[in-house]
Amino acid sequence: QVQLVESGGTWVQPGGSLRLSCAASGGTLGGYAIGWFRQGPGKEREGILCTEAHDGSTYYADSVKGRFSISRDNAANTVYLVMNALKPEDTSTYYCAAAAWNPSVEFMCIHKTVAYWGRGTQVAVSS
């Protein structure tokens, strides 16, 4: 059973940057596809970035393309979501998730087909 714990959420001004962390225990993240999802107030949870472990293929939602990226530290069993040029509409609770298999990372992000969820970390973007 993989446990995921997100951290790094905070308040930031528009245009700012933030890095969220997702630390894993009970399993090695290097063997999983990783996704970052978010859920804003009154909105459905959406997949914003999903990446495959074995070939690095990555899906980005249009809303974050060019601004958000993902990196892995396999030694630390941690993945990071790097967020730049933040906008007020990025205000959400951010969740990381892991999946053993999906037809594609796009499928994983769109259909939220994951095996493990973290509990989330809140990001607020405002002036």
Side-chain angles (χ1 to χ4, degrees):
Q1 184 84 10
V2 176
Q3 286 89 42
L4 303 174
V5 178
E6 303 92 337
S7 62
T10 187
W11 168 82
V12 62
Q13 290 186 332
S17 298
L18 203 58
R19 189 181 78 164
L20 305 182
S21 301
C22 173
S25 60
T28 303
L29 280 183
Y32 291 88
I34 299 298
W36 282 96
F37 298 76
R38 68 184 182 187
Q39 188 166 13
K43 297 182 180 179
E44 290 190 8
R45 190 172 299 189
E46 63 168 338
I48 57 172
L49 192 159
C50 292
T51 186
E52 185 59 74
H54 69 274
D55 64 4
S57 58
T58 303
Y59 165 83
Y60 298 89
D62 287 344
S63 57
V64 305
K65 200 173 294 183
R67 300 188 299 124
F68 290 13
S69 62
I70 192 170
S71 63
R72 293 176 181 253
D73 183 341
N74 288 332
N77 212 20
T78 300
V79 295
Y80 303 96
L81 178 66
V82 179
M83 305 187 292
N84 297 313
L86 283 161
K87 306 174 182 179
E89 51 263 44
D90 294 319
T91 295
S92 289
T93 300
Y94 284 75
Y95 301 87
C96 69
W101 183 88
N102 270 280
S104 68
V105 287
E106 180 176 0
F107 188 96
M108 176 184 175
C109 258
I110 291 173
H111 297 283
K112 299 186 282 291
T113 46
V114 303
Y116 306 105
W117 287 99
R119 292 190 175 185
T121 185
Q122 292 189 336
V123 173
V125 185
S126 69
S127 53

